[in-house]
Amino acid sequence: RGKEVISQIYARLVTRGHEIYLARLDNQIVGGIVIQVHGQPSVNVSALLASPTSWFTALHALGLREFIAQVSDTTKLKTAASRVAPHDYILALYVDRPHRKQGIAQQLVDVAIRSSVSRRNPIAVDTNLSNLGARRLYERAGFTEHYRTSRSVLLMHSFE
């Protein structure tokens, strides 16, 4: 939805007690991970509706049918996640393209797991079924499939 909108949402998460870890190389940020910490206030609807034009841009780029399908899929995943034990949630993981395949994503996921384990919380993440690289990354880190839609998968990692 655009770097500025996402930055606003993530800034609100941090001020509400959620965590963002950044990967830096040579004083340059090359990646990051955002963890929604269980028990902390989530971002309210007004933050998600920030910059409504970005929603229109997404709708235009995807088309109405695909946009509705993605919203529906996300709703199913969030509903499934709400039915499991209280947990932290990886909201976003990103590594700049030139720095991929160097273990940075694995390090960020490991930090997220350690952070959640320190609170004795399991941690969850969702990803598209077609994103084989992300699925392999999370499975190598000990995540297992908890729920699946026709498009996405919810993965859980327990501290036990």
Side-chain angles (χ1 to χ4, degrees), residues 1 8-9 12 16 43-52 55:
R1 293 189 44 222
Q8 291 169 8
I9 292 170
R12 290 181 189 194
R16 286 173 168 74
V43 174
N44 59 24
V45 174
S46 67
L48 296 176
L49 295 177
S51 186
W55 289 99

Side-chain angles (χ1 to χ4, degrees), residues 114-126:
R114 283 194 306 273
S115 175
S116 293
V117 166
S118 74
R119 288 185 293 281
R120 302 202 42 83
N121 285 340
I123 189 166
V125 65
D126 63 77

Side-chain angles (χ1 to χ4, degrees), residues 9 21 30 33-35 43 52 68 80 90 109-110 120 122 131 138:
I9 292 170
Y21 295 94
V30 297
I33 193 164
V34 180
I35 307 165
V43 174
I68 290 171
I90 296 174
V109 170
D110 290 345
R120 302 202 42 83
N131 190 343
Y138 292 120

